[in-house]
Amino acid sequence: MKFRVERDVLAEAVTWVARGLPNRPPVPVLAGVLIEATDDGTLTLSTFDYEVSARITVAAEVSEPGTVLVLGRLLADISRNLPGKPVDITTEGAKVQVTCGSSRFALLQMPADEYPTLPTSPEGSGSIDGTVFTQAVQQVQIAADRGDTLPILTGVRVEIEGEKVTLLATDRYRLAMRELTWSPNTSDASHIALIPARTLSDTAKALGASGSVEVSLGAAAGGSGLVGFEAGQRHTTSRLLDGEYPKVSKIFPTASETEAVVDTEVLTEAVKRVALVTERNTPVRLRFSDGQVTIEAGAGDDAQASEAVEAKVDGPDIEVAFNPGYLLDGLGVLGTSFTRLSFTAPLKPAMITGQDTQDGEIDTTYRYVLQPVRLAG
C-alpha cells in the first residue's frame, strides 16, 4: 500500500475515528484503525469495538491500493503533531512507514485479517438539522444515569412517530424530555430505540456541525439492534440497549400551585455562588416569595451563603431544596433567556421550562423535571 494525503486531512480523519477506541480492548486488534486505500483515490479509515463503529472517507493520491491495521491512538497522536506538509504512508514488510517532511515514523502492522467485519452501511430513515440534533441530545443526556446499577437508564429513549421525535432520559432523580421534528423518508415512520447516552452525545458533538444528519433505525440500520448516523463522509453505528424503559412520562406535572419566572443567567450565577459553601451533593434552598427568590446554603456551624434574585412569582410562597449540580445541569442546557419553575408542593417533582422573555410564551418542547431534596428536620 502506498498513498499521499494532506496532513490536516489525515489528522482530522484519524482523530475522528479513533475518538471512541477502548482504553483496554478485550482483543488487541480492537485498538487499531483500519486503513483502506483504493484505486479511485479515496482513503477509508474505520474503527469498531463490537458496540460502536466509525468510518470516514477522504481524498488521497493512491499509488498502490491496499489495507492495513495500525494502532489508532498512536497514529492520531503522530498525525496531529506532524509538520504542515503532505504525508506519505507506505507498507514495508511488517512496518508502516509514515513520512512527512523530514519526520519519519515506523509503525507495526497489526493483523488486519483478524479485525471484525464492520456493520454494513445503513440506509437512511430520515434526516435532522445538525444544530437542532446537537442541542436536543445535550439537553436530555444530562439526565441519563452515569452508573451501571440499572444499565437501561444509561440510555436515551428515542421515539419517532411520523415527523415527531421525542428524546427522554432519567437517572431517577431528574427527568429530561425534548420534542422536535425531523424529515422522515416515509410519513408513517415509527420507531422506538434506546441509544447509549454517551455514544449519542459523542455522535452529536462529532456530526452536529454538519448541516444535516442522516439517521437510520430498524431494518435500515442493518438490523433492529443498531442505529446509524451519517453526515457528509462520516458514518457511525451503535448497538442499542436491550430492555423495557420505565414508563416515566406520568412523572411530568400536569398542574402547578406556584410558578416563578427568573432570568436564566442571573439565577445560574447566583446558584453557583451560593453552592460554593456546600459540600458534595449538599442541597441549596430556594425560597420563592413576592417578587424574588432567595437562594441559601449552609446551616448551624457550617459555612453559609445567601443571595436574592428578582423573580416574577405567581401563587403561594414556597421553599424548595435541590441538589445544586442537578439544578445547574438543567439551567445550563435550557437555551432560553428566562427560566420558568413550576411547583405543586415542596417535596413533589418541580418542572423547569424556558421562555425568551419574562412575559413570553412558555417553550414546552424541552422539559426538565427535578426531584426536590428533603431537608433534615
Side-chain angles (χ1 to χ4, degrees):
M1 186 178 75
K2 186 177 181 181
F3 63 85
R4 169 173 280 199
V5 62
E6 291 301 319
R7 196 285 306 260
D8 290 352
V9 171
L10 178 68
E12 188 182 334
V14 181
T15 300
W16 187 74
V17 293
R19 75 197 189 287
L21 284 174
N23 291 319
R24 294 187 181 86
V27 187
V29 291
L30 296 185
V33 58
L34 192 69
I35 304 172
E36 299 168 88
T38 55
D39 281 328
D40 61 359
T42 60
L43 198 62
T44 301
L45 295 87
S46 312
T47 55
F48 184 40
D49 65 358
Y50 292 112
E51 297 292 327
V52 178
S53 78
R55 192 174 83 254
I56 185 169
T57 304
V58 296
E61 296 173 27
V62 180
S63 307
E64 293 175 25
T67 300
V68 72
L69 183 69
V70 293
L71 279 172
R73 288 221 170 93
L74 178 58
L75 183 61
D77 288 343
I78 289 170
S79 58
R80 280 196 299 268
N81 287 285
L82 289 172
K85 297 178 179 178
V87 184
D88 289 300
I89 296 182
T90 58
T91 50
E92 287 182 18
K95 297 284 179 69
V96 177
Q97 304 291 337
V98 180
T99 308
C100 181
S102 59
S103 298
R104 297 177 189 280
F105 294 86
L107 308 184
L108 196 63
Q109 280 198 58
M110 301 168 79
D113 55 345
E114 293 179 17
Y115 201 71
T117 304
L118 274 85
T120 53
S121 182
E123 300 170 36
S125 303
S127 61
I128 188 167
D129 177 85
T131 307
V132 172
F133 176 58
T134 305
Q135 185 199 31
V137 170
Q138 187 183 18
Q139 287 178 320
V140 294
Q141 63 86 25
I142 57 164
D145 202 340
R146 300 287 186 274
D148 51 11
T149 315
L150 275 173
I152 197 120
L153 296 186
T154 62
V156 172
R157 184 183 187 271
V158 180
E159 182 174 356
I160 292 171
E161 282 299 331
E163 293 183 353
K164 184 181 175 184
V165 181
T166 305
L167 307 180
L168 187 72
T170 183
D171 61 3
R172 292 169 296 174
Y173 304 104
R174 62 256 181 89
L175 170 63
M177 183 165 84
R178 171 68 196 268
E179 294 173 335
L180 58 141
T181 56
W182 76 321
S183 303
N185 289 350
T186 56
S187 58
D188 60 348
S190 180
H191 301 281
I192 292 177
L194 193 56
I195 306 171
R198 187 177 167 189
T199 303
L200 188 60
S201 178
D202 288 347
T203 300
K205 286 175 191 167
L207 300 182
S210 310
S212 179
V213 178
E214 193 83 19
V215 184
S216 312
L217 286 153
S224 57
L226 287 175
V227 61
F229 300 94
E230 179 181 335
Q233 295 302 310
R234 299 180 178 195
H235 311 254
T236 183
T237 65
S238 170
R239 188 161 294 286
L240 299 174
L241 293 171
D242 250 344
E244 187 70 30
Y245 202 73
K247 292 177 171 54
V248 290
S249 296
K250 60 179 181 290
I251 295 170
F252 286 101
T254 53
S256 60
E257 292 290 318
T258 300
E259 299 214 338
V261 179
V262 196
D263 183 293
T264 304
E265 188 177 349
V266 172
L267 179 61
T268 301
E269 294 305 316
V271 172
K272 282 180 182 174
R273 280 190 289 270
V274 171
L276 291 173
V277 301
T278 65
E279 303 218 353
R280 181 178 165 82
N281 293 335
T282 306
V284 293
R285 302 181 299 279
L286 282 75
R287 194 167 62 250
F288 295 87
S289 54
D290 190 29
Q292 70 173 28
V293 52
T294 305
I295 305 132
E296 299 173 337
D301 296 332
D302 297 331
Q304 296 173 359
S306 72
E307 185 167 339
V309 169
E310 186 184 328
K312 181 186 175 188
V313 182
D314 292 318
D317 293 0
I318 190 169
E319 184 172 350
V320 189
F322 290 125
N323 174 314
Y326 292 171
L327 176 58
L328 289 169
D329 280 348
L331 296 174
V333 297
L334 207 51
T336 54
S337 300
F338 285 84
T339 299
R340 177 179 289 264
L341 299 104
S342 307
F343 307 96
T344 50
L347 290 174
K348 291 282 180 70
M351 187 163 73
I352 294 174
T353 49
Q355 53 196 69
D356 291 326
T357 61
Q358 191 172 50
D359 299 310
E361 288 276 315
I362 309 169
D363 180 3
T364 56
T365 58
Y366 178 61
R367 286 176 276 170
Y368 184 70
V369 172
L370 194 51
Q371 179 61 45
V373 179
R374 186 186 294 274
L375 290 168

